Amino acid sequence: MLPIRPQRRSATALRRAAQGESKRTIVIALVANIVIAFAKLIGGLVSGSTGMLAEAAHSAADSINEIFLAIGLHRDRQPPDSEHPLGHGRERFLWAFMAAIASFLIGGCLSIAMAIAQLKARHPVSGGLTVWIILAISFTADGASWLQSMRQARRQAREYKLTVWRYILHSSDPVVRAVVVEDSAALIGLCVAAGGLLLSKIFRTSVPDSLASLVIGLLLAVTAFGLARPFADFLVGRSLPPQPLKKLHAIVKKDAAIEDILSLRAVYSGPEEVVVMAKVHPSKRMNIEQLTRAMDDLDRRIRLALPFVADVFIDVTGKRTEERSRTQ
């Protein structure tokens, strides 16, 4: 059996692991969602509010999401083996994708089903003080989790010189993307549930409350799909965005040891970790020893200029070899 090459990690990934910010964000979100899921369930059962029950399902789904994200964070730290020579970084995308599917099934589908059932069978809704207190506590807890995730997003966005929301839309970090989006949807859902309760009390009918449950379910379904789609791209093998890819191309192109770039690929191997693969024609003015030193220096400069690069593989090919490969 061939020896397993030690995994190279990007400077960004190593710094994130040392800071422990993702772990902190997951723990805060998990504790908040578990507590308020039970509170919303009690409030829904006491008041007969379908919207509150939908919100309980929403928080339960988010709790499962945090557990999946935590599993992915743990699996990411496993060392490479013979079957996974580049490590387990992409497992974080897998568990985040599964979390989005769970949110769709548990939160979205369940809330929509409850709403449809209650629209057909009218029921009394009592918006007593207890329910409003639960809504206020839930908003506070979800708001605290949202603030923590936004602090992490702002800090990381500054490193990439992007606005917070642009960073969230394009980030390869599943924790930041998932928690910010989930908490934002949770806060909107609470406002919808409160609106449904208030309108049901004013008009003395359960229809607004049931419609609130339907809106919450649709919100969860759209949010889950919006999260799952980019995670699926990262699982398949997403390329580095155009701007950093241009910067990478310029670094390789300007190197004195490179005469021509035949191909250049930069693919995510995990959150904020990219593997660079290039096929180049070397300069004719260099011997083997000089070329070897030049490739080592190029590797160093790429990783210094782009801290999210984990590893660099450069295939140095002579023109005759390239011509023969094309004719075969």
Side-chain angles (χ1 to χ4, degrees):
M1 181 181 293
L2 293 173
I4 300 171
R5 184 175 181 266
Q7 182 184 6
R8 293 181 78 184
R9 305 299 303 265
S10 72
T12 301
L14 290 173
R15 187 171 65 255
R16 298 277 187 260
Q19 291 170 343
E21 192 78 3
S22 292
K23 184 178 179 180
R24 190 179 306 115
T25 298
I26 290 173
V27 170
I28 291 173
L30 177 60
V31 171
N33 281 315
I34 290 175
V35 171
I36 62 181
F38 281 107
K40 290 174 183 176
L41 178 61
I42 293 170
L45 294 174
V46 169
S47 65
S49 169
T50 309
M52 285 294 290
L53 292 175
E55 270 300 297
H58 187 166
S59 294
D62 284 351
S63 299
I64 293 173
N65 291 356
E66 316 313 336
I67 293 171
F68 282 167
L69 291 172
I71 293 173
L73 197 62
H74 171 72
R75 290 292 303 162
D76 174 51
R77 297 172 182 173
Q78 301 304 305
D81 52 45
S82 58
E83 295 182 349
H84 308 90
L86 294 179
H88 298 76
R90 284 191 184 176
E91 280 204 44
R92 288 184 64 185
F93 301 136
L94 171 64
W95 288 100
F97 180 81
M98 291 173 64
I101 298 302
S103 181
F104 175 80
L105 294 175
I106 298 172
C109 294
L110 182 59
S111 298
I112 292 170
M114 286 192 299
I116 293 173
Q118 294 302 327
L119 279 170
K120 292 179 180 178
R122 306 296 170 84
H123 62 285
V125 177
S126 59
L129 181 61
T130 303
V131 177
W132 292 102
I133 291 173
I134 289 173
L135 281 171
I137 293 172
S138 299
F139 196 90
T140 302
D142 274 327
S145 175
W146 183 85
L147 287 173
Q148 164 60 26
S149 61
M150 284 298 290
R151 275 195 294 268
Q152 181 180 354
R154 286 193 188 96
R155 193 177 296 111
Q156 294 179 193
R158 282 196 296 269
E159 296 179 14
Y160 290 91
K161 298 179 181 179
L162 297 172
T163 63
V164 175
W165 291 108
R166 185 172 177 80
Y167 172 72
I168 290 170
L169 286 173
H170 299 282
S171 174
S172 63
D173 187 339
V175 173
V176 168
R177 185 195 292 263
V179 177
V180 169
V181 173
E182 288 169 4
D183 286 343
S184 299
L187 292 172
I188 295 170
L190 284 168
C191 293
V192 172
L197 273 172
L198 183 61
L199 291 174
S200 290
K201 185 176 182 180
I202 293 172
F203 295 107
R204 298 182 183 279
T205 173
S206 64
V207 173
D209 180 64
S210 298
L211 289 175
S213 176
L214 180 61
V215 171
I216 291 168
L218 292 173
L219 175 66
L220 268 170
V222 170
T223 301
F225 181 81
L227 284 172
R229 189 65 190 87
F231 291 147
D233 282 343
F234 283 115
L235 275 173
V236 172
R238 188 168 179 171
S239 173
L240 198 61
Q243 283 303 115
L245 190 59
K246 287 180 182 178
K247 184 176 181 180
L248 172 64
H249 188 277
I251 293 170
V252 178
K253 185 74 174 177
K254 290 178 181 177
D255 194 280
I258 306 298
E259 183 179 299
D260 190 22
I261 300 175
L262 301 176
S263 67
L264 181 64
R265 302 286 185 270
V267 181
Y268 282 96
S269 60
E272 298 186 290
E273 292 197 284
V274 170
V275 173
V276 175
M277 296 162 285
K279 194 178 186 71
V280 302
H281 283 324
S283 171
K284 296 177 181 178
R285 297 187 299 271
M286 291 188 173
N287 57 36
I288 295 298
E289 186 178 346
Q290 291 172 327
L291 184 60
T292 301
R293 286 199 301 268
M295 292 299 100
D296 287 342
D297 182 61
L298 178 59
D299 178 296
R300 183 187 61 79
R301 284 190 290 109
I302 288 174
R303 288 163 59 85
L304 187 63
L306 303 170
F308 46 80
V309 171
D311 217 337
V312 180
F313 299 94
I314 300 177
D315 180 8
V316 179
T317 306
K319 288 189 176 181
R320 291 183 180 179
T321 304
E322 181 66 20
E323 289 171 358
R324 284 199 300 267
S325 65
R326 287 177 181 176
T327 57
Q328 288 176 354

